[in-house]
Amino acid sequence: MRHHLTHLRAMDLLMAFLSVISVVLVTARWWGHQTLAPQTLQLFYDVDSLICYFFLGHFAYGWIRAPDRMAFFKANWFYLPGSLPMVEQLRWARLIQLWRIYQLLRDQPDLLAMFRRERNETTLSGILFLFFLLLGVGSGVMYWVESGQPGSQIQTPYDAFWWTLVTLSTVGYGDLVPKTEEGRFVASLLILFGVGLFGAISGFMASLFLQPGRGDAELEKWRHHQSAQQDLLLQELRALRAEVKALKQK
């Protein structure tokens, strides 16, 4: 978040992804309250609440770091209604953020340049995106292959979610374990991904201490330099085009 959302950033894409998940969970609760099990509905509500707390934390972080907090609040206050975990009816306000992200994507930004320019934010966003993705997909697949099987310890969506969270965090309590061959195969993949995520987080935290990110002044200087280089390149292209045109006329 920033005072004025004028260009796309990596964290915006992560917020858009979580907004889609939040809206899907609320829709599933509203449309499936008669068909889905109470435990499944409660799990959807709890996961959606966790996403809301993440939204609130992101908003608070941006507000604390903003040089003008009042201006930040005036420019981003509409994110708050959709971030309140106790009011599901307001979750549709997340569509406002999705619309703003869509407008920025419609301008066809240079995503590769954005990722190179904001490496720390891109790395953190990528790690969180992969974690949330593996948590959701892993829980769903594990519940699908283990529930209803004889002797299986994973019988409810909460069991699958808890097992996946513990596995990805590399804690491994051992209170729930898959019993089927399919479940063990899924578990082996999640274990490998969990170790990789833990290593990525450790490397990211080390890079913050060893190679601190650019300050605002340095970043603005870098952007000014890049803009000057682009202007110089355009001037050279125009001169080259003029020379080619002159040669054709001869």
Side-chain angles (χ1 to χ4, degrees):
M1 296 179 186
R2 59 201 62 82
H3 294 310
H4 301 286
L5 191 59
T6 56
H7 65 279
L8 191 66
R9 302 184 63 169
M11 191 61 69
D12 296 326
L13 298 178
L14 177 62
M15 293 297 105
F17 170 74
L18 293 179
S19 297
V20 172
I21 299 300
S22 177
V23 172
V24 170
L25 291 175
V26 173
T27 303
R29 280 178 53 83
W30 283 15
W31 287 359
H33 66 280
Q34 294 181 348
T35 57
L36 297 177
Q39 290 182 336
T40 303
L41 296 175
Q42 185 62 37
L43 175 62
F44 288 171
Y45 177 81
D46 292 342
V47 172
D48 180 61
S49 298
L50 290 176
I51 294 176
C52 290
Y53 289 127
F54 186 83
F55 288 151
L56 291 175
H58 180 247
F59 183 90
Y61 177 77
W63 181 76
I64 292 174
R65 294 198 59 184
D68 189 343
R69 295 178 179 177
M70 182 58 66
F72 177 88
F73 183 82
K74 290 180 178 179
N76 299 279
W77 66 268
F78 52 84
Y79 290 121
L80 288 177
S83 303
L84 299 178
M86 287 73 69
V87 187
E88 279 189 295
Q89 291 78 4
L90 294 178
R91 204 70 72 246
W92 304 106
R94 304 306 311 177
L95 297 176
I96 300 177
Q97 181 176 7
L98 292 177
W99 173 250
R100 300 190 71 175
I101 299 301
Y102 167 75
Q103 288 180 322
L104 294 176
L105 288 174
R106 190 176 56 182
D107 296 335
Q108 298 180 352
D110 190 351
L111 296 180
L112 293 179
M114 178 192 70
F115 294 150
R116 290 193 298 266
R117 183 175 62 250
E118 303 167 356
R119 293 184 179 180
N120 286 341
E121 183 173 329
T122 299
T123 302
L124 178 60
S125 301
I127 293 174
L128 292 176
F129 171 78
L130 186 59
F131 175 77
F132 290 127
L133 182 64
L134 291 175
L135 183 60
V137 175
S139 300
V141 173
M142 185 57 66
Y143 176 70
W144 178 55
V145 300
E146 284 288 320
S147 62
Q149 299 296 327
S152 175
Q153 298 178 349
I154 303 176
Q155 295 292 339
T156 66
Y158 256 115
D159 293 338
F161 180 82
W162 171 251
W163 177 88
T164 306
L165 180 61
V166 170
T167 302
L168 287 177
S169 63
T170 68
V171 175
Y173 285 123
D175 53 342
L176 298 175
V177 294
K179 296 296 183 179
T180 64
E181 294 182 358
E182 295 83 357
R184 291 175 178 175
F185 176 75
V186 174
S188 63
L189 295 179
L190 288 177
I191 290 172
L192 294 177
F193 278 114
V195 173
L197 280 176
F198 184 82
I201 294 175
S202 301
F204 174 74
M205 296 301 296
S207 67
L208 293 181
F209 291 99
L210 298 178
Q211 298 178 357
R214 294 186 177 94
D216 294 338
E218 186 179 353
L219 181 59
E220 187 64 26
K221 182 179 179 181
W222 180 84
R223 289 176 179 173
H224 180 73
H225 175 72
Q226 292 295 319
S227 178
Q229 292 293 327
Q230 292 177 359
D231 293 339
L232 181 61
L233 181 60
L234 288 176
Q235 293 177 5
E236 293 178 354
L237 289 175
R238 293 191 185 100
L240 181 60
R241 184 181 300 175
E243 293 179 2
V244 172
K245 185 177 181 180
L247 291 175
K248 287 182 178 180
Q249 290 178 353
K250 293 180 179 180

